[in-house]
Amino acid sequence: MKKNIVYRYNSETDNYERIFPSWKQRILRGFLFILFSVLGGIFMYFFLTLFLGTPTEANLRRENSLLKSQYNVLNRRLENSLKIMGDIQKRDDNFYRVMMQMEPLSNSQRFAGLDNENRYKSLNLLHDSQLVTLLTRRLDLFDRQLYAQSLSFDQLKEEVGEQKEKLTHIPSILPLKPKDYKMSSGYGYRRDPVYWTTKFHEGHDFAASQGTPVFATADGVVELAERCSGYGNCIDIDHGYNYLTRYAHLSDILVKPGQVVKRGEVIGKVGSTGKSTSPHLHYEVRFKDEAQNPVNYYFMDLTPEQYAEMILETENAGHVMD
């Protein structure tokens, strides 16, 4: 910048003489220059930071956005894993109760140590501490459930080794091939299709084509194979260990009383005999002569996901056919 040069007329010399600033003026000017430079720099810094942000902050914002996206993906995957684990736990509980008459794991065994809040205090100091703490809690929950389930299966394996003979005599498969039926009615209170009264339905109704093969669901001895009033053509199989299965409304009976049958052996064909509105199989599982929910006795045929789907099907199926 061009400096302003000041001259003053000297009458004595009849000349214009240049006027130089004093040292005080020079110090003041220098001070003002520095002051305005600092203030201008501060202003520009806050302006850029507030409206544009520094390159470091922009990078941090991008990284934070990416981390949150990754967190959401991990959280969804963990949520799905926990749901699958829940299905496995239900299947495990039913397996213990049905197969071994063993007590299922208690909540204290499954979730021991998860109520210790001190483990998460250090996480409160982190950025986005709520997200981190929530994800950590879920991971701890999954790890604990996985460990408990591993112990549970170890116990089950040991018990199974001691009861191999018993296992072959406990109903554990579907009486029809999955591709051959549609679930019509589940276990529980349903409206009678003939008398229109509410009654307790003691089994499952599988709608299927006439003549579809019906299988024994466990080893046993045929106790009854004849026409039985409202059940129509009916087969009862005594499996021992207080278990009995019933197959009703058959079009054909292919076994005789006293005959020994194996799990998976064809014993009859689907029909619509007795009090029946259309071809289907009425299937019951009885333990100590008390009707059980058959959904707990398909574990050898179903994956955990299929088992959960079967539960929904039986709960929603309300069209009783007998």
Side-chain angles (χ1 to χ4, degrees):
M1 184 176 67
K2 187 177 180 180
K3 295 183 179 180
N4 291 325
I5 301 176
V6 180
Y7 291 89
R8 183 176 59 185
Y9 177 72
N10 188 339
S11 60
E12 294 180 358
T13 62
D14 194 24
N15 282 320
Y16 285 94
E17 298 176 351
R18 183 176 177 179
I19 299 175
F20 293 94
S22 66
W23 64 271
K24 290 184 179 180
Q25 290 175 325
R26 291 179 179 179
I27 292 175
L28 179 61
R29 287 179 182 178
F31 174 77
L32 292 176
F33 176 78
I34 294 173
L35 177 62
F36 283 113
S37 297
V38 171
L39 291 176
I42 293 174
F43 173 78
M44 290 299 295
Y45 173 79
F46 280 106
F47 175 81
L48 293 174
T49 301
L50 181 62
F51 293 100
L52 301 179
T54 64
T56 301
E57 289 177 332
N59 289 333
L60 287 175
R61 281 195 293 269
R62 285 194 295 269
E63 290 178 4
N64 191 44
S65 177
L66 179 60
L67 287 173
K68 284 187 176 180
S69 298
Q70 292 174 339
Y71 165 82
N72 290 330
V73 171
L74 289 174
N75 193 45
R76 285 194 295 268
R77 290 178 60 185
L78 182 57
E79 187 70 26
N80 291 333
S81 296
L82 287 171
K83 288 181 180 178
I84 293 174
M85 179 59 71
D87 291 337
I88 292 175
Q89 288 173 354
K90 289 180 182 178
R91 183 181 178 91
D92 182 46
D93 288 343
N94 288 328
F95 193 76
Y96 276 136
R97 180 171 60 80
V98 172
M99 293 287 287
M100 303 298 171
Q101 284 78 55
M102 295 172 64
E103 289 295 325
L105 291 182
S106 65
N107 285 338
S108 61
Q109 291 173 303
R110 288 194 185 279
F111 306 112
L114 292 179
D115 56 349
N116 185 0
E117 294 297 321
N118 291 327
R119 303 169 60 191
Y120 307 107
K121 284 185 177 180
S122 60
L123 299 178
N124 293 330
L125 302 176
L126 300 176
H127 184 64
D128 290 331
S129 60
Q130 290 183 338
L131 295 180
V132 176
T133 301
L134 178 60
L135 186 59
T136 303
R137 284 179 183 273
R138 288 185 170 180
L139 285 171
D140 286 346
L141 174 62
F142 183 73
D143 287 344
R144 178 59 203 175
Q145 289 179 324
L146 190 62
Y147 175 71
Q149 198 61 54
S150 177
L151 292 180
S152 177
F153 285 143
D154 286 342
Q155 295 173 5
L156 180 60
K157 180 180 178 181
E158 183 179 346
E159 189 70 19
V160 167
E162 298 174 359
Q163 301 193 41
K164 289 183 179 179
E165 175 65 19
K166 181 179 179 181
L167 290 176
T168 63
H169 290 269
I170 295 177
S172 55
I173 64 172
L174 290 160
L176 300 174
K177 291 183 178 179
K179 65 181 180 64
D180 290 340
Y181 75 84
K182 180 179 180 181
M183 183 62 66
S184 174
S185 179
Y187 176 86
Y189 283 98
R190 297 288 188 271
R191 185 177 295 276
D192 189 287
V194 177
Y195 303 113
W196 294 101
T197 58
T198 300
K199 70 170 188 176
F200 193 85
H201 190 242
E202 295 185 330
H204 283 172
D205 284 349
F206 297 88
S209 301
Q210 184 92 0
T212 300
V214 177
F215 306 97
T217 56
D219 294 1
V221 178
V222 177
E223 183 178 276
L224 179 147
E226 60 185 38
R227 192 173 185 86
C228 304
S229 185
Y231 283 113
N233 291 334
C234 178
I235 298 173
D236 284 356
I237 299 178
D238 182 359
H239 302 283
Y241 303 98
N242 298 308
Y243 282 102
L244 180 141
T245 53
R246 176 168 295 163
Y247 313 77
H249 308 296
L250 303 171
S251 61
D252 292 299
I253 296 175
L254 305 179
V255 292
K256 299 178 180 179
Q259 181 177 334
V260 176
V261 294
K262 295 291 185 180
R263 177 184 288 138
E265 182 177 339
V266 177
I267 58 174
K269 296 181 180 180
V270 170
S272 187
T273 56
K275 187 170 74 69
S276 171
T277 57
S278 60
H280 74 286
L281 171 70
H282 174 83
Y283 174 67
E284 294 180 15
V285 177
R286 309 187 77 85
F287 179 69
K288 295 183 178 180
D289 202 32
E290 291 187 6
Q292 308 291 306
N293 190 343
V295 75
N296 295 322
Y297 293 82
Y298 303 142
F299 38 80
M300 285 190 176
D301 268 353
L302 303 177
T303 65
E305 293 81 6
Q306 291 171 328
Y307 175 77
E309 185 178 349
M310 171 69 79
I311 291 178
L312 291 177
E313 286 182 359
T314 57
E315 288 177 350
N316 295 327
H319 182 206
V320 181
M321 306 179 74
D322 51 46

